[in-house]
């Protein structure tokens, strides 16, 4: 992931409230928006973090907002690396070097 790229997601709902979530990359220098395809689904995305050194993408999954959620790590191209379980509604990331 480049330093001038913003990663975000958008969730839309159909008439029966079934969600569809899509991820995107915004090149801040040009305003160009590109879809970001993840190789593994994230059910209820709640937070996004991008490691400023490695470019890895971390996405937290709130699950059902009551039980512990999870954090998935993806390469900058969206390829899944690993997943771990976290506390209830994980949503913030800190990178300490």
């Amino acid at each position: 992931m480049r330093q001038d790229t913003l990663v975000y997601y958008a969730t839309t709902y159909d008439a029966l409230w079934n969600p569809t979530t899509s991820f995107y990359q915004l090149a801040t220098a040009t305003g160009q928006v590109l879809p970001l395809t993840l190789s593994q689904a994230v059910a209820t995305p709640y937070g996004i973090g991008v490691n400023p050194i490695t470019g890895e993408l971390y996405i937290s999954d709130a699950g059902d907002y009551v039980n512990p959620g999870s954090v998935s790590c993806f390469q900058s191209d969206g390829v899944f690396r690993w997943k771990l379980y976290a506390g209830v509604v994980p949503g913030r990331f800190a990178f300490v070097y």
Side-chain angles (χ1 to χ4, degrees):
M1 201 66 47
R2 295 176 36 163
Q3 295 270 346
D4 63 349
T5 302
L6 174 77
V7 178
Y8 67 98
Y9 66 92
T11 303
T12 58
Y13 296 87
D14 65 15
L16 299 175
W17 289 99
N18 296 309
T20 300
T21 301
S22 302
F23 291 85
Y24 301 95
Q25 300 176 73
L26 170 69
T28 57
T30 64
Q32 182 181 18
V33 176
L34 298 171
L36 175 63
T37 303
L38 302 180
S39 63
Q40 181 168 319
V42 178
T44 313
Y46 194 76
I48 296 177
V50 178
N51 184 316
I53 294 177
T54 67
E56 291 173 320
L57 179 64
Y58 298 87
I59 301 176
S60 65
D61 189 331
D64 62 4
Y65 296 93
V66 176
N67 294 299
S70 63
V71 174
S72 295
C73 177
F74 297 87
Q75 294 174 183
S76 61
D77 60 0
V79 174
F80 177 77
R81 296 208 52 222
W82 51 261
K83 178 179 183 176
L84 60 85
Y85 291 93
V88 177
V89 193
R92 303 289 185 265
F93 299 94
F95 300 96
V96 180
Y97 301 97

